[in-house]
Amino acid sequence: EELGDVLMQVVFHADIEKDAGRFTMDDVCDGVVKKLLFRHPHVFGDGRAETADTVPASWDELKRQEKGQKTTADALDAVARSLPGLWRAEKIQKKAADAGFDWRDVSGALDKLDEETGELRQAVETGGDVAGELGDVLFAAVKVGRFCGIDPEDAIAGTCEKFIRRFRVMEQEAARQGRALRDMTLEEMTALWNGAKERS
């Protein structure tokens, strides 16, 4: 059923474009076939893939050729700006890593995160480029996640839900004491927060 919905969208949009005189469903199918043939020379042509591990690298290289990307920087620049920032950062980092620009292991990424956090603190304290340094911290954190196999958007979404859950517990505990959070000191709220962390 869901595949049918996807197919309906393809047919629907192709029909709109046909009416506008831009392309037809035949053009769509022809484009897909040409793409598959071009990107799989080891299957449909004279190319060779020594192992299955070499296929993705070959695919990426052929994709760059197809899109007229002459350098890795061109490929980085082509990562869609419409993506959520953390996903875009992850894709950019992966392409840079494919070109060999990456830490050997997660310890290098963690050291970089520490360095960027220190620079953020300095920027805050001295009135420096806080936005730029915060961006560097987020970019470095994404790299740590990439080494650990963690999707950054999933990670931040999970943290948001955890924060809401703990805040709810904190608010409920304040209500149980007959108080509103806005009337409590930061120290009192922190004590409730720490209790909420232990329970959730």
Side-chain angles (χ1 to χ4, degrees):
E1 182 181 342
E2 296 303 325
L3 286 173
D5 290 345
V6 172
L7 181 58
M8 183 187 74
Q9 286 297 316
V10 173
V11 172
F12 176 66
H13 286 284
D15 198 49
I16 290 173
E17 297 304 319
K18 178 183 175 184
D19 290 345
R22 286 187 279 266
F23 58 81
T24 67
M25 178 61 93
D26 286 344
D27 296 324
V28 173
C29 294
D30 186 56
V32 169
V33 170
K34 285 179 178 174
K35 181 187 293 185
L36 287 172
L37 292 174
F38 181 75
R39 295 188 190 175
H40 292 83
H42 60 289
V43 176
F44 302 109
D46 298 330
R48 292 181 55 82
E50 299 301 326
T51 67
D53 293 338
T54 64
V55 173
S58 173
W59 170 281
D60 288 340
E61 177 57 34
L62 291 168
K63 185 176 178 180
R64 279 200 296 269
Q65 289 178 26
E66 190 178 56
K67 294 181 178 293
Q69 298 166 356
K70 295 182 172 61
T71 65
T72 300
D74 289 342
L76 301 182
D77 192 50
V79 176
R81 286 168 172 77
S82 59
L83 287 172
L86 298 179
W87 273 348
R88 185 163 189 255
E90 184 180 39
K91 285 183 173 292
I92 288 170
Q93 290 176 11
K94 173 137 186 358
K95 289 180 183 295
D98 289 344
F101 187 66
D102 206 2
W103 302 109
R104 290 187 186 87
D105 54 43
V106 72
S107 64
L110 285 167
D111 289 343
K112 186 64 174 175
L113 179 57
D114 287 342
E115 175 190 322
E116 297 297 354
T117 302
E119 291 178 9
L120 173 61
R121 177 178 292 277
Q122 183 178 15
V124 170
E125 292 172 350
T126 62
D129 180 13
V130 176
E133 296 301 341
L134 178 59
D136 290 346
V137 168
L138 294 172
F139 196 82
V142 168
K143 182 157 286 203
V144 172
R146 194 170 56 77
F147 270 103
C148 296
I150 296 170
D151 181 299
E153 289 291 337
D154 287 347
I156 193 63
T159 294
C160 287
E161 294 306 315
K162 179 172 61 179
F163 181 88
I164 293 168
R165 190 170 58 249
R166 289 175 177 174
F167 195 93
R168 188 182 309 281
V169 170
M170 182 175 71
E171 203 168 41
Q172 289 169 345
E173 179 58 25
R176 192 184 67 78
Q177 297 176 15
R179 304 182 67 188
L181 289 178
R182 71 177 66 86
D183 299 326
M184 301 177 79
T185 66
L186 179 59
E187 290 74 16
E188 289 172 323
M189 285 190 282
T190 299
L192 291 182
W193 177 262
N194 289 335
K197 280 180 68 174
E198 291 175 4
R199 284 182 279 168
S200 61

